[in-house]
Amino acid sequence: DPEMFGYKNVLECALVIIDMVRKDAGRVPIPDILQYVIIDTRNCFYCVDIDKAKIREMGITVIDVQLVEDKDCVVDQDPASLLANVQLDEDDTCSASLQKNHYLSPNKVLEVLLTLGT
């Protein structure tokens, strides 16, 4: 998520949201401000650390669910087709389609959010 650049981890970002709400609304309990953190650690690359345990300790539910389109799932791709597209960089690190996704699918995120509302 591009908004995460500059933060050390997801917990720090959550604390910023909580602090901003509390500046306006007072000492509101955390679960009344932020109930869920939704992530996709299987298919998505995150530029920051995600400490699920610390987030849960704050009373926030962590939901780790698919947030990319089915065709973009790392685990669902055929290994032979992945290897056909592998390119080694100068430092011998893999690039191309073996990398996790950098962008979430708005449709998948909406599906999850609508499910939470029911």
Side-chain angles (χ1 to χ4, degrees):
D1 196 359
E3 292 89 16
M4 290 303 304
F5 288 108
Y7 293 99
K8 295 178 213 160
N9 52 53
V10 173
L11 179 62
E12 181 184 10
C13 186
L15 289 172
V16 168
I17 294 168
I18 292 163
D19 288 343
M20 290 175 75
V21 170
R22 284 182 169 171
K23 283 180 184 176
D24 185 49
R27 188 102 178 121
V28 178
I30 291 173
D32 290 347
I33 298 170
L34 186 59
Q35 296 175 351
Y36 307 105
V37 169
I38 304 169
I39 55 176
D40 181 353
T41 57
R42 175 175 278 167
N43 299 298
C44 295
F45 168 78
Y46 291 89
C47 60
V48 297
D49 181 48
I50 302 168
D51 191 336
K52 294 179 192 179
K54 286 185 181 177
I55 295 168
R56 286 184 183 119
E57 286 174 12
M58 295 175 56
I60 302 168
T61 302
V62 177
I63 301 173
D64 197 345
V65 64
Q66 179 184 329
L67 296 172
V68 299
E69 295 296 331
D70 293 341
K71 67 179 179 54
D72 296 328
C73 286
V74 173
V75 294
D76 292 339
Q77 293 181 3
D78 175 40
S81 67
L82 287 175
L83 293 175
N85 294 323
V86 171
Q87 300 169 1
L88 291 178
D89 297 333
E90 290 178 10
D91 61 354
D92 290 336
T93 58
C94 288
S95 63
S97 59
L98 281 180
Q99 294 181 344
K100 291 185 175 185
N101 294 284
H102 289 259
Y103 300 99
L104 305 178
S105 162
N107 292 334
K108 289 291 184 179
V109 172
L110 183 59
E111 284 176 23
V112 172
L113 294 174
L114 290 173
T115 302
L116 292 173
T118 59

